[in-house]
mmCIF file of all heavy atoms in Angstrom:
data_model
loop_
_atom_site.group_PDB
_atom_site.id
_atom_site.type_symbol
_atom_site.label_atom_id
_atom_site.label_comp_id
_atom_site.label_asym_id
_atom_site.label_seq_id
_atom_site.Cartn_x
_atom_site.Cartn_y
_atom_site.Cartn_z
ATOM 1 N N PHE A 80 -9.985 -24.650 -4.400
ATOM 2 C CA PHE A 80 -9.640 -23.410 -5.078
ATOM 3 C C PHE A 80 -8.150 -23.129 -4.869
ATOM 4 O O PHE A 80 -7.666 -23.132 -3.735
ATOM 5 C CB PHE A 80 -10.499 -22.266 -4.536
ATOM 6 C CG PHE A 80 -11.973 -22.536 -4.670
ATOM 7 C CD1 PHE A 80 -12.638 -23.298 -3.721
ATOM 8 C CD2 PHE A 80 -12.660 -22.061 -5.766
ATOM 9 C CE1 PHE A 80 -13.999 -23.592 -3.847
ATOM 10 C CE2 PHE A 80 -14.019 -22.336 -5.922
ATOM 11 C CZ PHE A 80 -14.687 -23.105 -4.952
ATOM 12 N N ILE A 373 -3.459 -0.707 -3.811
ATOM 13 C CA ILE A 373 -3.480 -1.102 -2.416
ATOM 14 C C ILE A 373 -2.683 -2.383 -2.228
ATOM 15 O O ILE A 373 -2.815 -3.336 -3.005
ATOM 16 C CB ILE A 373 -4.931 -1.331 -1.933
ATOM 17 C CG1 ILE A 373 -5.816 -0.121 -2.228
ATOM 18 C CG2 ILE A 373 -4.957 -1.689 -0.449
ATOM 19 C CD1 ILE A 373 -5.433 1.127 -1.497
ATOM 20 N N ILE A 447 -14.400 -13.617 1.441
ATOM 21 C CA ILE A 447 -12.958 -13.512 1.623
ATOM 22 C C ILE A 447 -12.489 -14.235 2.869
ATOM 23 O O ILE A 447 -11.326 -14.624 2.966
ATOM 24 C CB ILE A 447 -12.516 -12.030 1.630
ATOM 25 C CG1 ILE A 447 -10.989 -11.913 1.472
ATOM 26 C CG2 ILE A 447 -12.991 -11.351 2.895
ATOM 27 C CD1 ILE A 447 -10.431 -12.486 0.186
#
Side-chain angles (χ1 to χ4, degrees):
F80 303 83
I373 306 296
I447 194 60

